[in-house]
Amino acid sequence: MAGSGSLPTGFGELEVLAVGTVLLVEALAGLCLNSLTILSFCKTPELRTPTHLLVLSLALADTGISLNALVAATSSLLRVSHRRWPYGSDGCQAHGFQGFIASLASICSSAAIAWGRYHHYCTRRQLAWNTAISLVICVWLSSVFWAALPLLGWGHYDYEPLGTCCTLDYSRVDRNFTSFLFTMAFFNFFLPLFITLVSYRLMEQKLRKTGHLQVNTTLPARTLLFGWGPYALLYLYTTVADVSSISPRLQMVPALIAKTVPTINAINYALGSEMVHRGIWQCLSLQRSELDRAR
Protein backbone atom coordinates (compact mmCIF):
# COMPACT_ATOMS: atom_id res chain seq x y z
CA MET A 1 0.00 0.00 0.00
CA ALA A 2 1.08 3.55 -0.72
CA GLY A 3 2.59 5.55 2.03
CA SER A 4 5.02 8.21 0.88
CA GLY A 5 7.04 9.51 -2.03
CA SER A 6 5.37 10.13 -5.40
CA LEU A 7 1.69 9.85 -6.16
CA PRO A 8 0.41 6.29 -5.62
CA THR A 9 0.35 3.89 -8.54
CA GLY A 10 -2.81 4.17 -10.62
CA PHE A 11 -3.72 7.71 -9.55
CA GLY A 12 -3.09 11.11 -11.07
CA GLU A 13 -3.30 14.50 -9.37
CA LEU A 14 -6.83 15.09 -10.66
CA GLU A 15 -8.02 11.76 -9.28
CA VAL A 16 -6.44 12.43 -5.89
CA LEU A 17 -8.15 15.84 -5.78
CA ALA A 18 -11.46 14.26 -6.84
CA VAL A 19 -11.29 11.65 -4.07
CA GLY A 20 -10.34 14.35 -1.55
CA THR A 21 -13.27 16.50 -2.63
CA VAL A 22 -15.74 13.61 -2.37
CA LEU A 23 -14.41 12.72 1.09
CA LEU A 24 -14.67 16.35 2.17
CA VAL A 25 -18.31 16.61 1.08
CA GLU A 26 -19.15 13.31 2.81
CA ALA A 27 -17.34 14.38 5.98
CA LEU A 28 -19.01 17.80 6.23
CA ALA A 29 -22.48 16.41 5.49
CA GLY A 30 -22.09 13.68 8.11
CA LEU A 31 -20.67 16.07 10.70
CA CYS A 32 -23.40 18.67 10.23
CA LEU A 33 -26.34 16.25 10.35
CA ASN A 34 -25.05 14.12 13.22
CA SER A 35 -23.99 17.19 15.22
CA LEU A 36 -27.57 18.42 14.97
CA THR A 37 -28.80 15.03 16.23
CA ILE A 38 -26.42 15.15 19.20
CA LEU A 39 -27.31 18.78 19.95
CA SER A 40 -31.05 18.05 19.86
CA PHE A 41 -30.59 15.16 22.31
CA CYS A 42 -28.67 17.41 24.72
CA LYS A 43 -31.03 20.38 24.43
CA THR A 44 -34.45 18.68 24.18
CA PRO A 45 -35.66 16.88 27.35
CA GLU A 46 -38.31 14.93 25.39
CA LEU A 47 -35.54 13.13 23.49
CA ARG A 48 -33.76 11.89 26.61
CA THR A 49 -35.30 8.44 26.49
CA PRO A 50 -33.68 4.98 26.42
CA THR A 51 -34.65 4.48 22.78
CA HIS A 52 -33.09 7.77 21.69
CA LEU A 53 -29.96 6.94 23.69
CA LEU A 54 -29.31 4.24 21.09
CA VAL A 55 -29.76 6.83 18.33
CA LEU A 56 -27.34 9.11 20.17
CA SER A 57 -24.79 6.28 20.26
CA LEU A 58 -25.16 5.86 16.50
CA ALA A 59 -24.80 9.61 15.93
CA LEU A 60 -21.60 9.69 18.01
CA ALA A 61 -20.18 6.74 16.04
CA ASP A 62 -21.11 8.33 12.72
CA THR A 63 -19.54 11.60 13.84
CA GLY A 64 -16.35 9.61 14.42
CA ILE A 65 -16.56 8.20 10.87
CA SER A 66 -17.06 11.70 9.49
CA LEU A 67 -14.07 13.03 11.44
CA ASN A 68 -12.04 10.12 10.07
CA ALA A 69 -13.19 11.06 6.56
CA LEU A 70 -12.25 14.70 7.21
CA VAL A 71 -8.68 13.66 8.05
CA ALA A 72 -8.59 11.51 4.90
CA ALA A 73 -9.91 14.41 2.82
CA THR A 74 -7.29 16.77 4.24
CA SER A 75 -4.48 14.31 3.59
CA SER A 76 -5.79 13.73 0.04
CA LEU A 77 -5.59 17.43 -0.72
CA LEU A 78 -2.17 17.74 0.97
CA ARG A 79 -0.84 14.70 -0.87
CA VAL A 80 -0.95 16.51 -4.20
CA SER A 81 1.64 19.00 -2.95
CA HIS A 82 3.52 16.98 -0.30
CA ARG A 83 3.41 13.60 -2.12
CA ARG A 84 3.14 11.74 1.18
CA TRP A 85 0.87 10.91 4.15
CA PRO A 86 1.38 13.98 6.36
CA TYR A 87 0.90 12.40 9.79
CA GLY A 88 3.60 9.71 9.92
CA SER A 89 3.41 6.01 10.80
CA ASP A 90 1.96 6.61 14.28
CA GLY A 91 -0.66 8.87 12.75
CA CYS A 92 -1.63 6.07 10.37
CA GLN A 93 -2.08 3.63 13.26
CA ALA A 94 -4.16 6.18 15.20
CA HIS A 95 -6.27 6.98 12.14
CA GLY A 96 -6.94 3.31 11.43
CA PHE A 97 -7.73 2.59 15.09
CA GLN A 98 -10.12 5.53 15.44
CA GLY A 99 -11.86 4.79 12.15
CA PHE A 100 -12.27 1.11 12.99
CA ILE A 101 -13.80 1.91 16.40
CA ALA A 102 -16.28 4.34 14.86
CA SER A 103 -17.19 1.96 12.02
CA LEU A 104 -17.80 -1.04 14.28
CA ALA A 105 -19.76 1.12 16.76
CA SER A 106 -21.92 2.45 13.91
CA ILE A 107 -22.72 -1.06 12.62
CA CYS A 108 -23.48 -2.46 16.08
CA SER A 109 -25.48 0.64 17.13
CA SER A 110 -27.69 0.16 14.06
CA ALA A 111 -28.34 -3.42 15.17
CA ALA A 112 -29.09 -2.22 18.72
CA ILE A 113 -31.60 0.32 17.38
CA ALA A 114 -33.26 -2.42 15.31
CA TRP A 115 -33.63 -4.62 18.39
CA GLY A 116 -34.84 -1.65 20.45
CA ARG A 117 -37.52 -0.82 17.89
CA TYR A 118 -38.60 -4.47 17.74
CA HIS A 119 -38.89 -4.48 21.53
CA HIS A 120 -40.91 -1.25 21.54
CA TYR A 121 -43.34 -2.01 18.72
CA CYS A 122 -43.81 -5.73 19.37
CA THR A 123 -44.03 -5.76 23.17
CA ARG A 124 -45.64 -2.31 23.49
CA ARG A 125 -43.25 -1.58 26.35
CA GLN A 126 -40.68 1.17 26.63
CA LEU A 127 -37.05 0.12 26.60
CA ALA A 128 -35.62 0.31 30.12
CA TRP A 129 -32.74 2.67 30.88
CA ASN A 130 -30.64 -0.17 32.27
CA THR A 131 -31.08 -2.15 29.07
CA ALA A 132 -30.28 0.81 26.80
CA ILE A 133 -27.20 1.80 28.81
CA SER A 134 -25.98 -1.80 28.85
CA LEU A 135 -26.41 -2.04 25.07
CA VAL A 136 -24.45 1.18 24.49
CA ILE A 137 -21.64 0.10 26.81
CA CYS A 138 -21.41 -3.31 25.12
CA VAL A 139 -21.34 -1.71 21.67
CA TRP A 140 -18.47 0.63 22.50
CA LEU A 141 -16.43 -1.81 24.58
CA SER A 142 -16.73 -4.42 21.84
CA SER A 143 -15.70 -1.88 19.20
CA VAL A 144 -12.64 -0.78 21.18
CA PHE A 145 -11.69 -4.40 21.79
CA TRP A 146 -11.80 -5.44 18.12
CA ALA A 147 -10.12 -2.23 16.95
CA ALA A 148 -7.27 -2.70 19.44
CA LEU A 149 -6.42 -6.22 18.26
CA PRO A 150 -4.51 -5.07 15.12
CA LEU A 151 -2.39 -2.85 17.37
CA LEU A 152 -1.57 -5.93 19.44
CA GLY A 153 -0.54 -8.07 16.47
CA TRP A 154 -3.76 -9.77 15.33
CA GLY A 155 -4.18 -8.02 12.01
CA HIS A 156 -2.44 -4.79 10.99
CA TYR A 157 -3.31 -1.19 10.06
CA ASP A 158 -1.75 0.27 6.92
CA TYR A 159 -2.39 2.80 4.16
CA GLU A 160 -5.18 2.34 1.67
CA PRO A 161 -4.15 2.36 -2.04
CA LEU A 162 -4.43 6.15 -2.32
CA GLY A 163 -2.24 6.59 0.75
CA THR A 164 -4.54 9.22 2.27
CA CYS A 165 -6.26 7.11 4.91
CA CYS A 166 -5.49 3.98 6.91
CA THR A 167 -7.47 0.80 7.47
CA LEU A 168 -6.94 -2.91 7.99
CA ASP A 169 -4.05 -4.05 5.80
CA TYR A 170 -5.52 -6.58 3.37
CA SER A 171 -2.42 -6.67 1.12
CA ARG A 172 -0.53 -9.08 3.40
CA VAL A 173 -2.86 -12.05 3.63
CA ASP A 174 -1.68 -14.82 5.93
CA ARG A 175 -3.24 -17.21 8.44
CA ASN A 176 -3.06 -14.51 11.12
CA PHE A 177 -5.04 -12.00 9.06
CA THR A 178 -7.52 -14.57 7.75
CA SER A 179 -8.41 -15.83 11.23
CA PHE A 180 -8.84 -12.27 12.50
CA LEU A 181 -10.91 -11.24 9.48
CA PHE A 182 -13.42 -14.09 9.62
CA THR A 183 -13.84 -13.85 13.40
CA MET A 184 -14.23 -10.07 13.33
CA ALA A 185 -16.58 -10.13 10.33
CA PHE A 186 -18.89 -12.67 11.97
CA PHE A 187 -19.33 -10.71 15.22
CA ASN A 188 -19.25 -7.19 13.76
CA PHE A 189 -20.92 -7.43 10.36
CA PHE A 190 -22.84 -10.64 9.70
CA LEU A 191 -24.31 -10.97 13.22
CA PRO A 192 -25.44 -7.28 13.43
CA LEU A 193 -26.85 -7.57 9.89
CA PHE A 194 -28.76 -10.72 10.88
CA ILE A 195 -30.13 -9.04 14.03
CA THR A 196 -31.20 -6.00 12.00
CA LEU A 197 -32.91 -8.07 9.31
CA VAL A 198 -34.74 -10.35 11.75
CA SER A 199 -35.79 -7.50 14.09
CA TYR A 200 -37.29 -5.38 11.33
CA ARG A 201 -38.87 -8.42 9.66
CA LEU A 202 -40.64 -9.47 12.86
CA MET A 203 -41.61 -5.87 13.53
CA GLU A 204 -43.03 -5.51 10.01
CA GLN A 205 -45.14 -8.64 10.44
CA LYS A 206 -46.46 -7.41 13.78
CA LEU A 207 -47.32 -3.92 12.50
CA ARG A 208 -49.00 -5.21 9.35
CA LYS A 209 -51.40 -7.23 11.50
CA THR A 210 -52.34 -4.11 13.45
CA GLY A 211 -52.41 -1.87 10.37
CA HIS A 212 -49.88 0.60 11.80
CA LEU A 213 -46.85 0.10 9.56
CA GLN A 214 -45.35 3.59 9.96
CA VAL A 215 -41.67 2.63 10.28
CA ASN A 216 -39.24 2.13 7.41
CA THR A 217 -38.26 -1.51 7.92
CA THR A 218 -36.03 -1.90 4.87
CA LEU A 219 -33.70 1.13 4.75
CA PRO A 220 -31.64 0.29 7.89
CA ALA A 221 -30.74 -3.21 6.67
CA ARG A 222 -30.07 -1.93 3.18
CA THR A 223 -27.79 0.77 4.59
CA LEU A 224 -25.76 -1.85 6.45
CA LEU A 225 -25.63 -4.17 3.45
CA PHE A 226 -24.79 -1.63 0.75
CA GLY A 227 -22.77 0.71 2.96
CA TRP A 228 -20.46 -1.88 4.52
CA GLY A 229 -20.99 -4.85 2.20
CA PRO A 230 -18.40 -3.67 -0.39
CA TYR A 231 -15.74 -3.55 2.34
CA ALA A 232 -16.72 -7.05 3.47
CA LEU A 233 -16.55 -8.36 -0.09
CA LEU A 234 -13.13 -6.77 -0.65
CA TYR A 235 -11.69 -8.27 2.52
CA LEU A 236 -13.16 -11.70 1.83
CA TYR A 237 -11.90 -11.61 -1.75
CA THR A 238 -8.35 -10.97 -0.58
CA THR A 239 -8.42 -14.19 1.45
CA VAL A 240 -8.93 -16.30 -1.68
CA ALA A 241 -7.23 -14.25 -4.43
CA ASP A 242 -4.41 -11.77 -5.00
CA VAL A 243 -5.55 -8.22 -4.21
CA SER A 244 -3.29 -6.88 -6.98
CA SER A 245 -5.83 -8.27 -9.46
CA ILE A 246 -8.14 -5.44 -8.36
CA SER A 247 -7.21 -1.99 -9.64
CA PRO A 248 -6.25 0.62 -6.99
CA ARG A 249 -9.15 2.82 -8.11
CA LEU A 250 -11.63 0.00 -7.53
CA GLN A 251 -10.11 -0.73 -4.12
CA MET A 252 -10.95 2.84 -3.04
CA VAL A 253 -14.65 2.49 -3.90
CA PRO A 254 -15.66 0.67 -0.65
CA ALA A 255 -14.08 3.45 1.44
CA LEU A 256 -15.98 6.15 -0.45
CA ILE A 257 -19.26 4.24 -0.15
CA ALA A 258 -18.79 3.60 3.58
CA LYS A 259 -18.26 7.32 4.24
CA THR A 260 -21.81 8.01 3.01
CA VAL A 261 -23.30 5.90 5.83
CA PRO A 262 -23.25 8.70 8.49
CA THR A 263 -25.34 10.96 6.25
CA ILE A 264 -27.83 8.19 5.39
CA ASN A 265 -28.14 7.17 9.04
CA ALA A 266 -28.75 10.77 10.12
CA ILE A 267 -31.50 11.17 7.53
CA ASN A 268 -33.10 7.84 8.44
CA TYR A 269 -32.87 7.81 12.24
CA ALA A 270 -32.84 11.54 13.07
CA LEU A 271 -34.47 13.58 10.31
CA GLY A 272 -36.82 10.67 9.64
CA SER A 273 -38.08 10.74 13.24
CA GLU A 274 -40.76 13.33 13.91
CA MET A 275 -39.67 13.78 17.52
CA VAL A 276 -35.98 14.19 16.69
CA HIS A 277 -36.90 16.41 13.76
CA ARG A 278 -38.93 18.61 16.10
CA GLY A 279 -36.07 18.66 18.61
CA ILE A 280 -33.60 19.79 15.94
CA TRP A 281 -35.90 22.64 14.92
CA GLN A 282 -36.31 23.63 18.56
CA CYS A 283 -32.53 23.79 18.96
CA LEU A 284 -32.14 25.84 15.78
CA SER A 285 -34.96 28.17 16.82
CA LEU A 286 -33.40 28.59 20.26
CA GLN A 287 -30.02 29.44 18.75
CA ARG A 288 -31.66 31.91 16.38
CA SER A 289 -33.58 33.64 19.19
CA GLU A 290 -30.42 33.91 21.28
CA LEU A 291 -28.61 35.53 18.37
CA ASP A 292 -31.49 37.97 17.88
CA ARG A 293 -31.37 38.95 21.57
CA ALA A 294 -27.61 39.40 21.39
CA ARG A 295 -28.05 41.84 18.52
Side-chain angles (χ1 to χ4, degrees):
M1 295 187 180
S4 60
S6 61
L7 287 174
T9 303
F11 295 94
E13 288 191 2
L14 184 60
E15 291 166 321
V16 175
L17 286 172
V19 171
T21 302
V22 171
L23 286 171
L24 184 61
V25 171
E26 292 175 333
L28 294 179
L31 282 173
C32 290
L33 293 177
N34 285 286
S35 295
L36 285 175
T37 303
I38 296 170
L39 181 64
S40 66
F41 183 89
C42 296
K43 294 286 188 179
T44 309
E46 293 83 358
L47 294 179
R48 296 170 195 166
T49 65
T51 301
H52 286 105
L53 179 64
L54 302 179
V55 177
L56 176 64
S57 174
L58 178 64
L60 290 171
D62 285 341
T63 299
I65 295 176
S66 297
L67 288 173
N68 190 271
L70 186 61
V71 173
T74 303
S75 62
S76 296
L77 301 176
L78 289 176
R79 189 168 178 83
V80 175
S81 57
H82 291 78
R83 295 290 196 270
R84 61 184 176 83
W85 166 263
Y87 308 113
S89 177
D90 291 340
C92 178
Q93 297 300 305
H95 185 254
F97 177 64
Q98 184 271 335
F100 205 32
I101 290 177
S103 299
L104 296 182
S106 176
I107 294 171
C108 294
S109 291
S110 296
I113 290 173
W115 182 86
R117 287 185 170 183
Y118 160 77
H119 180 274
H120 172 72
Y121 285 102
C122 294
T123 66
R124 298 298 177 182
R125 291 184 298 171
Q126 290 290 338
L127 192 65
W129 273 108
N130 288 341
T131 303
I133 292 173
S134 297
L135 283 172
V136 171
I137 291 175
C138 287
V139 163
W140 285 94
L141 286 181
S142 172
S143 300
V144 171
F145 169 77
W146 286 102
L149 290 179
L151 298 178
L152 300 175
W154 202 18
H156 182 67
Y157 292 121
D158 203 352
Y159 306 99
E160 289 194 338
L162 191 59
T164 57
C165 51
C166 296
T167 186
L168 282 177
D169 182 11
Y170 50 81
S171 65
R172 298 186 296 181
V173 179
D174 53 22
R175 184 175 298 178
N176 175 46
F177 175 79
T178 302
S179 62
F180 170 75
L181 178 64
F182 279 101
T183 307
M184 182 275 299
F186 173 78
F187 286 105
N188 295 283
F189 178 70
F190 293 108
L191 184 59
L193 179 61
F194 175 78
I195 292 173
T196 302
L197 287 170
V198 171
S199 296
Y200 280 112
R201 180 61 178 168
L202 293 175
M203 185 173 68
E204 181 181 11
Q205 292 176 352
K206 179 72 173 181
L207 294 179
R208 284 190 185 279
K209 291 180 180 179
T210 60
H212 295 90
L213 185 58
Q214 300 174 342
V215 179
N216 191 329
T217 59
T218 59
L219 182 59
R222 288 178 179 176
T223 301
L224 280 180
L225 185 60
F226 294 111
W228 300 106
Y231 251 137
L233 287 176
L234 175 62
Y235 286 143
L236 293 175
Y237 178 83
T238 61
T239 64
V240 297
D242 187 0
V243 70
S244 61
S245 62
I246 304 177
S247 69
R249 294 187 186 93
L250 191 58
Q251 291 179 44
M252 285 301 300
V253 171
L256 296 177
I257 294 176
K259 297 300 189 294
T260 65
V261 170
T263 301
I264 297 173
N265 282 341
I267 294 173
N268 181 36
Y269 293 107
L271 299 182
S273 168
E274 183 178 349
M275 184 176 293
V276 178
H277 197 191
R278 187 165 60 247
I280 290 174
W281 279 113
Q282 287 178 0
C283 292
L284 293 177
S285 301
L286 179 62
Q287 295 293 332
R288 192 180 299 114
S289 63
E290 290 178 351
L291 286 175
D292 291 340
R293 286 197 298 269
R295 292 173 182 173

